[in-house]
């Protein structure tokens, strides 16, 4: 059942705003630089099948995913664009990369050797670790690669990349350290387009831009400048259905664990969104939702399918069952919800529930 009438909650994804965000990021880069699109984890939970074609229609030609299976699904959507796989080449997966014309991001010398073995001068990206200790060639392997160019014979080097650990903290000294290490790495490797910046990295200044940027979160509306005003447009809006309302007396309690006890009489409305929909349980007794433009607090624990809000201050006409409460929207954006939950916007987006009625607006797709 996917009609609006029957939906317990509706997730609106504004593809026009999303594409506008991507263009805004691209326009910060120097002429000729490539603004890639990072669409891993189902486009940060917003739906790769809708997002990737919309970005391609806007001029994006290079896409990053994390996993081979994501890349195979993306290849079906985008027959022409370049698709790179950040998690690299798992042993035995070379033939799949070849068959689907995928670009592996090679993270160690073993993967580079395996890709040479796959033959044919195929494209690959080399990932150099410049201080994150997560993926990419460690300094010792970079030195061996620099000393023996034959290790790259038969590899069409599409790019050399690295990833910033602290890009969302512009004053963090790790940024400049990684920049220096990245410059040193590209200097000892064969000439290739360099790729360094994620969303926040694009805002660290021109030194960080290089030939290819890889923004994800900011395309989806997450603030790349935490603590400053968000230069990106909001992309998602989430509305949950009001299922029931009730009067409640002083001394009565709401929800599991009886964590919200009434100090005065009031009214409670129950909304059809819970932690199984990605409305994190850490949002229990935290934050607020909007009904008819007025903000009201969440009270009691978030349960699997339901949450409860205090609507005492509202006109009962506005809280009738079947109406909607806005959980994510202009007055309560993804970053604000994340702050209440003690997490980051990335996690709120990628947790967004599979059973929301999803509506894509504003795009050609
Ligand atoms: C996820 C990821 C990105 C995108 O990062 P955002 O902060 O979402 O812009 C870029 N590069 C790598 C290696 C990543 O893992």
């Amino acid at each position: 059942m996917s009609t609006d009438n029957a939906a317990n909650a509706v997730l609106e994804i504004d593809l026009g705003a999303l594409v506008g965000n991507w263009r805004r990021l691209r326009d910060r880069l120097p002429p000729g630089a490539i603004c890639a699109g990072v669409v891993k984890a189902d486009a940060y939970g917003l739906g790769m099948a809708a997002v990737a074609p919309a970005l391609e229609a806007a001029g994006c030609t290079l896409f990053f995913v994390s996993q081979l299976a994501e890349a195979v699904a993306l290849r079906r959507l985008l027959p022409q664009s370049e698709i790179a796989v950040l998690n690299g080449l798992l042993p035995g997966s070379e033939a799949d990369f070849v068959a689907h014309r995928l670009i592996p991001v090679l993270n160690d010398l073993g993967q580079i050797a395996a890709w040479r073995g796959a033959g044919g001068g195929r494209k690959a990206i080399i990932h150099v670790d410049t201080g994150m200790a997560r993926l990419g060639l460690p300094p010792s392997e970079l030195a061996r690669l620099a000393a023996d160019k034959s290790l790259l014979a038969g590899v069409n080097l599409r790019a050399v990349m690295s990833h910033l650990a602290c890009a969302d903290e512009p004053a963090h000294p790790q940024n400049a350290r990684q920049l220096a290490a990245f410059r040193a790495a590209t200097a000892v490797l064969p000439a290739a387009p360099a790729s360094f910046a994620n969303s926040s990295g694009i805002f660290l200044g021109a030194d960080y831009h290089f030939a290819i940027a890889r923004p994800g979160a900011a395309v989806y509306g997450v603030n790349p400048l935490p603590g400053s005003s968000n230069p990106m447009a909001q992309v998602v809006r989430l509305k949950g259905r009001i299922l029931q309302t009730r009067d409640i007396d002083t001394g009565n309690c709401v929800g599991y664990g009886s964590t919200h006890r009434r100090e005065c009489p009031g009214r409670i409305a129950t909304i059809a969104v819970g932690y199984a929909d990605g409305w994190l349980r850490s949002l229990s007794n935290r934050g607020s939702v909007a009904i008819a433009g007025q903000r009201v607090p969440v009270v009691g624990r978030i349960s699997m399918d339901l949450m409860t809000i205090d609507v005492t201050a509202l006109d009962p006409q506005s809280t009738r069952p079947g109406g909607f409460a806005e959980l994510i929207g202009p007055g309560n954006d993804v970053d604000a919800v994340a702050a209440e939950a003690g997490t980051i916007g990335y996690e709120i987006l990628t947790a967004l529930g599979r059973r929301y009625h999803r509506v894509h607006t504003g795009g050609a797709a």
Side-chain angles (χ1 to χ4, degrees):
M1 177 68 65
S2 66
T3 66
D4 241 319
N5 285 341
N8 277 234
V10 178
L11 180 68
E12 290 172 11
I13 298 160
D14 184 343
L15 292 174
L18 186 152
V19 163
N21 284 340
W22 179 80
R23 288 205 174 98
R24 205 165 305 162
L25 295 163
R26 181 198 60 192
D27 291 347
R28 295 186 75 91
L29 302 176
I34 291 177
C35 190
V38 180
V39 294
K40 61 194 183 187
D42 201 23
Y44 290 49
L46 303 193
M48 183 175 76
V51 167
L55 288 176
E56 190 185 58
C60 184
T61 57
L62 170 59
F63 292 82
F64 285 87
V65 293
S66 291
Q67 304 183 358
L68 174 61
E70 295 175 325
V72 171
L74 184 56
R75 176 54 78 211
R76 271 186 239 117
L77 294 164
L78 308 180
Q80 300 302 331
S81 282
E82 295 186 290
I83 301 173
V85 180
L86 290 164
N87 284 7
L89 201 58
L90 281 167
S93 64
E94 296 84 356
D96 288 315
F97 277 83
V98 172
H100 298 282
R101 294 170 286 121
L102 307 175
I103 304 174
V105 175
L106 303 174
N107 287 307
D108 63 35
L109 291 178
Q111 291 182 13
I112 292 173
W115 194 239
R116 286 179 52 218
R122 294 177 219 280
K123 286 183 199 171
I125 294 174
I126 292 204
H127 183 176
V128 179
D129 177 29
T130 54
M132 195 164 175
R134 192 179 68 166
L135 286 176
L137 272 72
S140 60
E141 293 197 7
L142 174 64
R144 281 168 59 196
L145 193 60
D148 183 357
K149 295 281 158 33
S150 74
L151 296 176
L152 277 173
V155 172
N156 176 355
L157 196 53
R158 178 65 183 88
V160 173
M161 66 166 263
S162 192
H163 192 46
L164 286 156
C166 305
D168 58 347
E169 298 175 63
H172 200 296
Q174 183 72 352
N175 293 318
R177 279 198 292 264
Q178 286 196 257
L179 178 60
F182 186 55
R183 285 191 171 133
T186 56
V188 298
L189 290 175
S195 177
F196 197 40
N198 66 336
S199 297
S200 295
I202 291 173
F203 291 84
L204 290 175
D207 281 355
Y208 289 79
H209 287 165
F210 294 96
I212 301 171
R214 306 185 307 271
V219 175
Y220 307 107
V222 172
N223 188 358
L225 303 165
S228 305
S229 71
N230 189 350
M232 314 318 297
Q234 284 304 301
V235 172
V236 297
R237 205 174 182 121
L238 175 62
K239 300 184 298 180
R241 192 85 76 168
I242 300 168
L243 298 177
Q244 192 176 15
T245 61
R246 74 191 58 248
D247 295 324
I248 184 165
D249 287 332
T250 303
N252 287 348
C253 296
V254 179
Y256 283 122
S258 299
T259 58
H260 176 75
R261 187 175 182 280
R262 295 304 300 185
E263 304 294 341
C264 58
R267 285 178 64 248
I268 298 293
T270 301
I271 309 297
V273 170
Y275 60 74
D277 302 298
W279 201 258
L280 306 179
R281 193 164 172 277
S282 56
L283 288 163
S284 297
N285 288 297
R286 294 191 65 81
S288 61
V289 304
I291 293 179
Q294 269 186 277
R295 302 214 67 81
V296 295
V298 174
V299 295
R301 287 226 178 115
I302 308 297
S303 51
M304 187 180 294
D305 310 300
L306 304 168
M307 59 193 282
T308 36
I309 60 177
D310 182 342
V311 294
T312 312
L314 299 184
D315 175 357
Q317 291 298 321
S318 67
T319 60
R320 285 207 293 233
F324 282 105
E326 187 173 86
L327 280 68
I328 301 175
N332 201 37
D333 66 20
V334 169
D335 293 288
V337 174
E340 289 288 357
T343 183
I344 55 175
Y346 295 66
E347 190 177 20
I348 298 297
L349 288 184
T350 54
L352 286 169
R354 297 289 162 264
R355 59 184 176 175
Y356 292 144
H357 175 63
R358 287 167 176 248
V359 182
H360 291 92
T361 63

